[in-house]
mmCIF file of all heavy atoms in Angstrom:
data_model
loop_
_atom_site.group_PDB
_atom_site.id
_atom_site.type_symbol
_atom_site.label_atom_id
_atom_site.label_comp_id
_atom_site.label_asym_id
_atom_site.label_seq_id
_atom_site.Cartn_x
_atom_site.Cartn_y
_atom_site.Cartn_z
ATOM 1 N N ASN X 2 -8.097 1.838 -9.003
ATOM 2 C CA ASN X 2 -6.867 1.896 -9.349
ATOM 3 C C ASN X 2 -6.250 0.585 -9.716
ATOM 4 O O ASN X 2 -6.897 -0.483 -9.330
ATOM 5 C CB ASN X 2 -6.097 2.466 -8.127
ATOM 6 C CG ASN X 2 -6.515 3.718 -7.510
ATOM 7 O OD1 ASN X 2 -6.944 4.632 -8.327
ATOM 8 N ND2 ASN X 2 -6.577 3.999 -6.178
ATOM 9 N N ASP X 3 -5.296 0.519 -10.506
ATOM 10 C CA ASP X 3 -4.862 -0.801 -11.024
ATOM 11 C C ASP X 3 -4.345 -1.776 -9.846
ATOM 12 O O ASP X 3 -3.833 -1.100 -8.823
ATOM 13 C CB ASP X 3 -3.807 -0.568 -12.145
ATOM 14 C CG ASP X 3 -2.395 -0.153 -11.602
ATOM 15 O OD1 ASP X 3 -1.718 -0.992 -11.155
ATOM 16 O OD2 ASP X 3 -2.200 1.002 -11.599
ATOM 17 N N PHE X 4 -4.455 -2.974 -10.030
ATOM 18 C CA PHE X 4 -4.121 -3.938 -9.071
ATOM 19 C C PHE X 4 -2.746 -3.806 -8.576
ATOM 20 O O PHE X 4 -2.420 -4.053 -7.421
ATOM 21 C CB PHE X 4 -4.474 -5.419 -9.564
ATOM 22 C CG PHE X 4 -4.010 -6.395 -8.585
ATOM 23 C CD1 PHE X 4 -4.912 -6.833 -7.565
ATOM 24 C CD2 PHE X 4 -2.755 -7.180 -8.851
ATOM 25 C CE1 PHE X 4 -4.415 -7.858 -6.760
ATOM 26 C CE2 PHE X 4 -2.482 -8.164 -8.044
ATOM 27 C CZ PHE X 4 -3.286 -8.516 -6.904
ATOM 28 N N TRP X 5 -1.744 -3.581 -9.362
ATOM 29 C CA TRP X 5 -0.278 -3.640 -9.187
ATOM 30 C C TRP X 5 0.100 -2.500 -8.273
ATOM 31 O O TRP X 5 1.142 -2.680 -7.662
ATOM 32 C CB TRP X 5 0.410 -3.802 -10.363
ATOM 33 C CG TRP X 5 0.119 -5.026 -11.222
ATOM 34 C CD1 TRP X 5 -0.509 -5.092 -12.371
ATOM 35 C CD2 TRP X 5 0.598 -6.346 -10.926
ATOM 36 N NE1 TRP X 5 -0.637 -6.445 -12.783
ATOM 37 C CE2 TRP X 5 -0.059 -7.255 -11.950
ATOM 38 C CE3 TRP X 5 1.215 -6.945 -9.805
ATOM 39 C CZ2 TRP X 5 0.180 -8.476 -11.978
ATOM 40 C CZ3 TRP X 5 1.403 -8.323 -9.869
ATOM 41 C CH2 TRP X 5 0.836 -9.097 -10.774
ATOM 42 N N THR X 6 -0.469 -1.394 -8.408
ATOM 43 C CA THR X 6 0.098 -0.108 -7.659
ATOM 44 C C THR X 6 -0.847 0.142 -6.355
ATOM 45 O O THR X 6 -0.436 0.969 -5.648
ATOM 46 C CB THR X 6 0.258 1.033 -8.586
ATOM 47 O OG1 THR X 6 -1.105 1.373 -9.109
ATOM 48 C CG2 THR X 6 1.177 0.724 -9.850
ATOM 49 N N ARG X 7 -2.081 -0.271 -6.359
ATOM 50 C CA ARG X 7 -2.927 0.176 -5.331
ATOM 51 C C ARG X 7 -2.474 -0.590 -3.952
ATOM 52 O O ARG X 7 -1.927 -1.618 -3.974
ATOM 53 C CB ARG X 7 -4.412 -0.006 -5.609
ATOM 54 C CG ARG X 7 -4.996 -1.433 -5.607
ATOM 55 C CD ARG X 7 -6.415 -1.438 -5.771
ATOM 56 N NE ARG X 7 -6.907 -2.819 -5.791
ATOM 57 C CZ ARG X 7 -7.420 -3.393 -6.821
ATOM 58 N NH1 ARG X 7 -7.313 -2.845 -8.010
ATOM 59 N NH2 ARG X 7 -7.847 -4.664 -6.699
ATOM 60 N N LEU X 8 -3.023 0.033 -2.946
ATOM 61 C CA LEU X 8 -2.725 -0.525 -1.616
ATOM 62 C C LEU X 8 -3.607 -1.849 -1.416
ATOM 63 O O LEU X 8 -4.843 -1.870 -1.777
ATOM 64 C CB LEU X 8 -3.080 0.488 -0.485
ATOM 65 C CG LEU X 8 -2.940 -0.067 0.923
ATOM 66 C CD1 LEU X 8 -1.515 -0.289 1.245
ATOM 67 C CD2 LEU X 8 -3.630 1.126 1.929
ATOM 68 N N SER X 9 -2.975 -2.903 -0.927
ATOM 69 C CA SER X 9 -3.739 -4.217 -0.859
ATOM 70 C C SER X 9 -4.829 -4.261 0.163
ATOM 71 O O SER X 9 -4.906 -3.485 1.069
ATOM 72 C CB SER X 9 -2.635 -5.247 -0.471
ATOM 73 O OG SER X 9 -3.413 -6.415 -0.183
ATOM 74 N N ASP X 10 -5.823 -4.869 -0.192
ATOM 75 C CA ASP X 10 -7.075 -4.880 0.664
ATOM 76 C C ASP X 10 -6.725 -5.448 2.153
ATOM 77 O O ASP X 10 -7.345 -4.978 3.133
ATOM 78 C CB ASP X 10 -8.068 -5.783 0.093
ATOM 79 C CG ASP X 10 -8.732 -5.264 -1.171
ATOM 80 O OD1 ASP X 10 -8.686 -3.912 -1.326
ATOM 81 O OD2 ASP X 10 -9.205 -5.925 -1.917
ATOM 82 N N ASN X 11 -5.879 -6.496 2.145
ATOM 83 C CA ASN X 11 -5.572 -7.059 3.541
ATOM 84 C C ASN X 11 -4.184 -6.599 4.055
ATOM 85 O O ASN X 11 -3.612 -7.240 4.799
ATOM 86 C CB ASN X 11 -5.484 -8.680 3.409
ATOM 87 C CG ASN X 11 -4.570 -9.050 2.429
ATOM 88 O OD1 ASN X 11 -4.021 -8.216 1.590
ATOM 89 N ND2 ASN X 11 -4.441 -10.288 2.208
ATOM 90 N N SER X 12 -3.910 -5.282 3.678
ATOM 91 C CA SER X 12 -2.607 -4.790 4.138
ATOM 92 C C SER X 12 -2.606 -4.581 5.606
ATOM 93 O O SER X 12 -3.533 -4.211 6.238
ATOM 94 C CB SER X 12 -2.290 -3.439 3.434
ATOM 95 O OG SER X 12 -3.175 -2.615 3.659
ATOM 96 N N SER X 13 -1.472 -4.846 6.209
ATOM 97 C CA SER X 13 -1.238 -4.637 7.840
ATOM 98 C C SER X 13 -0.842 -3.213 7.987
ATOM 99 O O SER X 13 -0.632 -2.469 7.034
ATOM 100 C CB SER X 13 -0.221 -5.603 8.226
ATOM 101 O OG SER X 13 1.145 -5.215 7.583
ATOM 102 N N ARG X 14 -0.738 -2.842 9.229
ATOM 103 C CA ARG X 14 -0.445 -1.554 9.589
ATOM 104 C C ARG X 14 0.967 -1.230 9.141
ATOM 105 O O ARG X 14 1.224 -0.147 8.698
ATOM 106 C CB ARG X 14 -0.408 -1.379 11.268
ATOM 107 C CG ARG X 14 -0.201 -0.052 11.662
ATOM 108 C CD ARG X 14 -0.267 -0.125 13.219
ATOM 109 N NE ARG X 14 0.091 1.168 13.823
ATOM 110 C CZ ARG X 14 -0.780 2.201 14.153
ATOM 111 N NH1 ARG X 14 -1.931 2.051 13.859
ATOM 112 N NH2 ARG X 14 -0.322 3.343 14.768
ATOM 113 N N GLU X 15 1.824 -2.159 9.175
ATOM 114 C CA GLU X 15 3.250 -1.972 8.755
ATOM 115 C C GLU X 15 3.252 -1.842 7.199
ATOM 116 O O GLU X 15 4.013 -1.058 6.747
ATOM 117 C CB GLU X 15 4.115 -3.213 9.168
ATOM 118 C CG GLU X 15 4.434 -3.197 10.662
ATOM 119 C CD GLU X 15 3.228 -3.720 11.418
ATOM 120 O OE1 GLU X 15 2.322 -4.368 10.820
ATOM 121 O OE2 GLU X 15 3.222 -3.593 12.653
ATOM 122 N N ASP X 16 2.347 -2.634 6.527
ATOM 123 C CA ASP X 16 2.322 -2.493 5.063
ATOM 124 C C ASP X 16 1.811 -1.106 4.575
ATOM 125 O O ASP X 16 2.269 -0.514 3.725
ATOM 126 C CB ASP X 16 1.405 -3.695 4.438
ATOM 127 C CG ASP X 16 1.868 -5.028 4.566
ATOM 128 O OD1 ASP X 16 3.256 -5.191 4.782
ATOM 129 O OD2 ASP X 16 1.215 -5.920 4.691
ATOM 130 N N GLN X 17 0.847 -0.657 5.391
ATOM 131 C CA GLN X 17 0.267 0.687 5.011
ATOM 132 C C GLN X 17 1.333 1.781 5.220
ATOM 133 O O GLN X 17 1.395 2.767 4.406
ATOM 134 C CB GLN X 17 -0.991 0.949 6.023
ATOM 135 C CG GLN X 17 -2.193 0.064 5.660
ATOM 136 C CD GLN X 17 -3.268 0.207 6.718
ATOM 137 O OE1 GLN X 17 -3.046 0.857 7.683
ATOM 138 N NE2 GLN X 17 -4.286 -0.599 6.468
ATOM 139 N N LEU X 18 2.182 1.728 6.344
ATOM 140 C CA LEU X 18 3.129 2.765 6.471
ATOM 141 C C LEU X 18 4.207 2.645 5.414
ATOM 142 O O LEU X 18 4.643 3.661 4.905
ATOM 143 C CB LEU X 18 3.681 2.464 7.901
ATOM 144 C CG LEU X 18 4.901 3.609 8.115
ATOM 145 C CD1 LEU X 18 4.408 5.055 8.221
ATOM 146 C CD2 LEU X 18 5.463 3.235 9.673
ATOM 147 N N ALA X 19 4.585 1.463 5.092
ATOM 148 C CA ALA X 19 5.665 1.262 3.996
ATOM 149 C C ALA X 19 5.066 1.817 2.665
ATOM 150 O O ALA X 19 5.850 2.425 1.982
ATOM 151 C CB ALA X 19 5.959 -0.216 3.810
ATOM 152 N N TYR X 20 3.864 1.606 2.334
ATOM 153 C CA TYR X 20 3.211 2.071 1.102
ATOM 154 C C TYR X 20 3.198 3.502 1.171
ATOM 155 O O TYR X 20 3.564 4.129 0.213
ATOM 156 C CB TYR X 20 1.801 1.487 1.020
ATOM 157 C CG TYR X 20 1.170 1.861 -0.239
ATOM 158 C CD1 TYR X 20 1.205 1.011 -1.398
ATOM 159 C CD2 TYR X 20 0.368 3.101 -0.431
ATOM 160 C CE1 TYR X 20 0.524 1.407 -2.515
ATOM 161 C CE2 TYR X 20 -0.206 3.450 -1.582
ATOM 162 C CZ TYR X 20 -0.244 2.624 -2.648
ATOM 163 O OH TYR X 20 -0.815 2.940 -3.832
ATOM 164 N N PHE X 21 2.816 4.108 2.228
ATOM 165 C CA PHE X 21 2.718 5.643 2.365
ATOM 166 C C PHE X 21 4.019 6.172 2.206
ATOM 167 O O PHE X 21 4.236 7.302 1.467
ATOM 168 C CB PHE X 21 2.185 5.951 3.815
ATOM 169 C CG PHE X 21 2.236 7.466 4.124
ATOM 170 C CD1 PHE X 21 1.584 8.401 3.592
ATOM 171 C CD2 PHE X 21 3.043 7.722 5.200
ATOM 172 C CE1 PHE X 21 1.683 9.666 3.891
ATOM 173 C CE2 PHE X 21 3.311 9.102 5.481
ATOM 174 C CZ PHE X 21 2.568 9.963 4.891
ATOM 175 N N GLN X 22 5.124 5.617 2.746
ATOM 176 C CA GLN X 22 6.419 6.155 2.662
ATOM 177 C C GLN X 22 6.954 6.209 1.294
ATOM 178 O O GLN X 22 7.839 7.091 0.913
ATOM 179 C CB GLN X 22 7.471 5.282 3.516
ATOM 180 C CG GLN X 22 7.255 5.519 5.079
ATOM 181 C CD GLN X 22 7.962 4.692 5.921
ATOM 182 O OE1 GLN X 22 8.499 3.712 5.509
ATOM 183 N NE2 GLN X 22 8.015 4.973 7.203
ATOM 184 N N LYS X 23 6.390 5.293 0.552
ATOM 185 C CA LYS X 23 6.864 5.243 -1.017
ATOM 186 C C LYS X 23 6.131 6.403 -1.857
ATOM 187 O O LYS X 23 6.602 6.727 -2.877
ATOM 188 C CB LYS X 23 6.478 4.011 -1.681
ATOM 189 C CG LYS X 23 7.258 2.824 -1.116
ATOM 190 C CD LYS X 23 6.914 1.447 -1.812
ATOM 191 C CE LYS X 23 7.770 0.384 -1.333
ATOM 192 N NZ LYS X 23 7.151 -1.031 -1.794
ATOM 193 N N LYS X 24 4.942 6.925 -1.206
ATOM 194 C CA LYS X 24 4.192 7.997 -1.882
ATOM 195 C C LYS X 24 4.809 9.299 -1.306
ATOM 196 O O LYS X 24 4.254 10.383 -1.899
ATOM 197 C CB LYS X 24 2.742 7.855 -1.687
ATOM 198 C CG LYS X 24 2.180 6.442 -2.099
ATOM 199 C CD LYS X 24 2.398 6.362 -3.684
ATOM 200 C CE LYS X 24 1.699 4.972 -4.024
ATOM 201 N NZ LYS X 24 1.952 4.826 -5.469
ATOM 202 N N ILE X 25 5.542 9.438 -0.283
ATOM 203 C CA ILE X 25 6.104 10.649 0.188
ATOM 204 C C ILE X 25 7.674 10.539 -0.014
ATOM 205 O O ILE X 25 8.350 9.894 0.633
ATOM 206 C CB ILE X 25 5.642 10.798 1.657
ATOM 207 C CG1 ILE X 25 4.246 10.705 1.960
ATOM 208 C CG2 ILE X 25 6.274 12.194 2.276
ATOM 209 C CD1 ILE X 25 3.414 11.863 1.499
#
């Protein structure tokens, strides 16, 4: 997936939830 839209490799638990919420 392209660098700008994919989930970061070093994302924290909070980052992952924030990313998920943008996809739902």
Side-chain angles (χ1 to χ4, degrees):
N2 303 325
D3 73 85
F4 174 80
W5 298 105
T6 62
R7 70 171 181 254
L8 181 63
S9 173
D10 293 335
N11 57 352
S12 57
S13 64
R14 184 182 176 89
E15 291 76 17
D16 294 335
Q17 292 170 357
L18 179 60
Y20 183 94
F21 169 70
Q22 290 172 344
K23 292 178 182 178
K24 302 298 181 182
I25 304 287

